[in-house]
């Protein structure tokens, strides 16, 4: 009887809070590009947004030959840019007494040890060019998300919403992207990793796109580069993460913007990678971030550590362990996933929520004195000045991946439907998470609109001016605020 009564009470609360939906955002257009699909991830810059894409069209042998030649030229240019010539590169190798790959790994300076593609290691320098050609020809087919990938690249959209397509390669899916703060460049990290006879070789390709020219102005191929890259807020450097699989030691490298030359010594720290499958997508939590004002470098090792930048001197260490973390736009606060809001630079605890095991914060948005936090169970508003929760969303406004509209009026998130199947089909063999977009009022967290009928499900979203852009497997939807 008590169970029945409890069920009736909960059901009553749910139906009593049923939202009244209305049209806040209306469909404006659908951008569909021939032979391009799976538009994710997405990143927003000063005056543009960029979506990654892949193609399920298998490349021809002529296209593969052209791609291999392109990779060879990138490798050649990388050696020339960093060392001046192959002769200088040989001398650098001789300095560390390189005779075997094992000795090289032990004795080489960090720049060589971490970033040279595995195929470049050779028992003798005369075989270096042969090793480069071997690597350049190593273009394995991968199977994510559906079958063999063909062309991969990015679609750039500006205010006029006219798509600019930048091809980056073949069989190298985009891992992450970042715009420079001045809006001049877009940096893209793509995955060229491959399976060897005895081990998996991690290889990343960094491409830099000049947004005025709409063309790639720099590319380099580096070993052990994965997961993350980003410009420093002052725009002086493009940073990227390099580490060997199975090792705790992480290396943060700095590449000079414009010359694209890598500083020889990285910032090295211990840290663990945090990722998991949430709503059908693998989610990588950033290991490091720069504060928006450029004064701090914050990373986890796995404790949350705040350093001054560029001095890299420790400011404070957060309590306990940390996974994903979030920095306020004014650089005054940092929030860890266990509901601890800390002041910068004092390290003072401003607010501590009632963390429940397994319900880490998945997303957060700062707006003035308001902090919006979301996890798989609920959405809340925290008043930073008062240090307490002022609103908690109901059953219908669970927004795990929060995005705040640029006018601060609405919150949007990918979410599972309240009714219907959790998995749907795409193609003959692939099952995907059935996701739609839920929009809530940022003042009271009430659900106000649901966007659905995607092809076949929503993948990513971003607010861009007064528009909401949502990607699916076959294109990009543009919704306009009424």
């Amino acid at each position: 009887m008590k169970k029945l009564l409890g069920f009736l009470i909960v059901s009553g609360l749910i139906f009593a809070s049923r939202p009244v939906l209305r049209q806040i955002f209306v469909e404006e257009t659908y951008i569909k590009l021939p032979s391009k699909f799976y538009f994710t991830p997405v990143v927003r810059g000063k005056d543009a947004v960029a979506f990654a894409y892949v193609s399920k069209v298998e490349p021809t042998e002529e296209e593969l030959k052209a791609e291999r030649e392109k990779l060879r030229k990138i490798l050649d240019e990388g050696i020339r840019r960093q060392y001046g010539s192959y002769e200088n590169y040989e001398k650098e190798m001789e300095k560390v007494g390189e005779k075997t790959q094992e000795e090289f790994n032990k004795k080489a300076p960090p720049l060589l040890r971490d970033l040279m593609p595995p195929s470049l290691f050779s028992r003798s320098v005369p075989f270096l060019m042969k090793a480069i050609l071997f690597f350049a020809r190593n273009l394995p087919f991968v199977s994510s998300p559906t079958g063999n990938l063909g062309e991969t690249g990015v679609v750039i959209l500006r205010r006029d919403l006219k798509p600019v397509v930048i091809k980056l390669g073949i069989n190298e899916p985009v891992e992450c992207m970042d715009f420079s703060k001045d809006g001049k460049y877009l940096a893209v990290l793509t995955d060229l990793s491959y399976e060897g006879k005895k081990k998996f070789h991690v290889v990343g390709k960094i491409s830099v796109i000049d947004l005025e020219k709409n063309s790639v102005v720099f590319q380099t191929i580096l070993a052990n580069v994965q997961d993350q890259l980003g410009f420093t807020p002052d725009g002086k450097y493009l940073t990227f993460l390099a580490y060997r699989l199975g090792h705790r030691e992480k290396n943060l490298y700095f590449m000079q913007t414009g010359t694209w030359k890598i500083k020889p010594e990285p910032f090295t720290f211990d840290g663990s990678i945090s990722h998991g499958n949430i709503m059908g997508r693998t989610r990588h939590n950033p290991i490091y971030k720069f504060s928006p004002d450029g004064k701090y470098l914050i990373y986890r090792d796995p404790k949350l550590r705040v350093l001054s930048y560029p001095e890299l001197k420790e400011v404070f260490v957060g309590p306990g362990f940390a996974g994903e973390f979030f920095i306020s736009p004014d650089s005054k606060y940092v929030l860890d996933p266990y509901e601890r809001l800390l002041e910068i630079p004092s390290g003072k605890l401003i607010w501590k929520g009632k963390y429940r095991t397994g319900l880490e914060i998945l997303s957060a948005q700062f707006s003035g004195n308001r902090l919006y936090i979301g996890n798989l169970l609920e959405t809340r508003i925290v008043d930073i000045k008062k240090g307490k929760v002022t609103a908690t969303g109901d059953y219908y406004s669970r927004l795990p991946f929060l995005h705040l509209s640029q006018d601060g009026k609405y919150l949007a998130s990918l979410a599972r439907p309240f009714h219907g199947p959790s998995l749907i089909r795409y193609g003959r063999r692939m099952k995907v998470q059935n996701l739609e977009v839920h929009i809530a009022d940022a003042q009271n967290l009430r659900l106000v609109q649901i966007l659905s009928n995607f092809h076949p499900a929503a993948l990513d979203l971003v607010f861009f001016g007064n528009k909401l852009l949502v990607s699916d497997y076959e294109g990009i939807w543009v919704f306009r605020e009424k």
Side-chain angles (χ1 to χ4, degrees), residues 157-322:
L157 297 173
R158 297 180 174 83
R159 301 295 175 182
D160 60 8
L161 298 178
K162 294 180 179 178
V164 175
V165 176
I166 306 292
K167 176 185 173 182
L168 293 176
I170 294 174
N171 295 320
E172 49 178 278
V174 173
E175 196 164 354
C176 59
M177 303 181 283
D178 191 41
F179 283 98
S180 59
K181 195 171 182 178
D182 60 7
K184 185 175 181 180
Y185 297 111
L186 172 66
V188 186
L189 174 63
T190 52
D191 185 7
L192 276 174
S193 302
Y194 63 96
E195 189 77 45
K197 289 184 178 179
K198 295 184 178 181
K199 63 178 293 188
F200 183 76
H201 299 285
V202 175
V203 182
K205 186 172 87 174
I206 295 175
S207 303
V208 179
I209 299 167
D210 186 313
L211 296 171
E212 292 182 2
K213 300 176 181 178
N214 286 332
S215 64
V216 177
V217 293
F218 170 75
Q219 289 183 311
T220 187
I221 298 171
L222 304 168
N224 302 311
V225 173
Q226 54 188 318
D227 291 335
Q228 198 174 348
L229 92 169
F231 286 96
T232 55
D234 59 13
K236 291 182 179 180
Y237 298 100
L238 173 62
T239 65
F240 56 89
L241 197 65
Y243 65 94
R244 297 178 184 277
L245 292 177
H247 291 242
R248 284 186 59 82
E249 184 181 85
K250 306 297 184 291
N251 295 300
L252 178 60
Y253 278 92
F254 292 78
M255 178 188 288
Q256 293 175 335
T257 302
T259 66
W260 311 115
K261 190 169 183 178
I262 304 168
K263 293 180 70 174
E265 294 296 325
F267 172 65
T268 301
F269 60 95
D270 285 339
S272 58
I273 299 298
S274 176
H275 62 83
N277 189 292
I278 303 176
M279 292 189 178
R281 295 275 303 280
T282 299
R283 179 182 172 89
H284 291 274
N285 295 326
I287 296 178
Y288 73 93
K289 295 179 184 180
F290 291 92
S291 61
D293 64 5
K295 294 181 179 180
Y296 305 99
L297 169 63
I298 303 176
Y299 70 95
R300 50 188 174 84
D301 73 342
K303 284 184 177 292
L304 192 70
R305 296 185 181 270
V306 179
L307 276 62
S308 62
Y309 181 77
E311 301 84 7
L312 298 181
K313 293 183 179 180
E314 194 167 275
V315 176
F316 74 85
V317 180
F321 296 105

Side-chain angles (χ1 to χ4, degrees), residues 39-214:
F39 293 88
T40 184
V42 60
V43 65
R44 185 179 71 200
K46 182 182 177 182
D47 298 305
V49 296
F51 287 87
Y53 72 85
V54 299
S55 168
K56 54 187 173 183
V57 177
E58 187 169 323
T60 64
E61 185 59 34
E62 288 72 21
E63 289 174 323
L64 286 174
K65 287 180 180 178
E67 189 66 16
R68 290 165 187 153
E69 178 64 19
K70 177 183 172 184
L71 291 177
R72 187 189 67 77
K73 289 180 179 179
I74 292 172
L75 288 165
D76 289 347
E77 175 61 20
I79 293 291
R80 186 198 65 76
R81 185 184 297 271
Q82 197 66 34
Y83 301 99
S85 65
Y86 276 103
E87 289 75 16
N88 291 342
Y89 175 71
E90 292 174 16
K91 291 177 182 178
E92 192 69 27
M93 293 181 76
E94 291 170 359
K95 287 179 184 178
V96 296
E98 162 61 5
K99 289 184 179 180
T100 66
Q101 179 173 334
E102 182 179 354
E103 291 175 353
F104 183 87
N105 288 340
K106 291 179 179 178
K107 299 179 181 180
L111 184 65
L112 289 176
R113 185 185 68 233
D114 293 331
L115 303 181
M116 285 294 102
S119 305
L120 293 182
F121 293 123
S122 180
R123 289 182 179 273
S124 57
V125 175
F127 291 108
L128 181 62
M129 281 302 297
K130 183 177 180 181
I132 290 176
L133 291 172
F134 174 78
F135 173 74
R137 291 190 182 99
N138 200 333
L139 284 171
F141 287 113
V142 294
S143 58
S144 174
T146 58
N148 296 331
L149 302 187
E151 175 185 306
T152 58
V154 297
V155 178
I156 299 170
L157 297 173
R158 297 180 174 83
R159 301 295 175 182
D160 60 8
L161 298 178
K162 294 180 179 178
V164 175
V165 176
I166 306 292
K167 176 185 173 182
L168 293 176
I170 294 174
N171 295 320
E172 49 178 278
V174 173
E175 196 164 354
C176 59
M177 303 181 283
D178 191 41
F179 283 98
S180 59
K181 195 171 182 178
D182 60 7
K184 185 175 181 180
Y185 297 111
L186 172 66
V188 186
L189 174 63
T190 52
D191 185 7
L192 276 174
S193 302
Y194 63 96
E195 189 77 45
K197 289 184 178 179
K198 295 184 178 181
K199 63 178 293 188
F200 183 76
H201 299 285
V202 175
V203 182
K205 186 172 87 174
I206 295 175
S207 303
V208 179
I209 299 167
D210 186 313
L211 296 171
E212 292 182 2
K213 300 176 181 178
N214 286 332

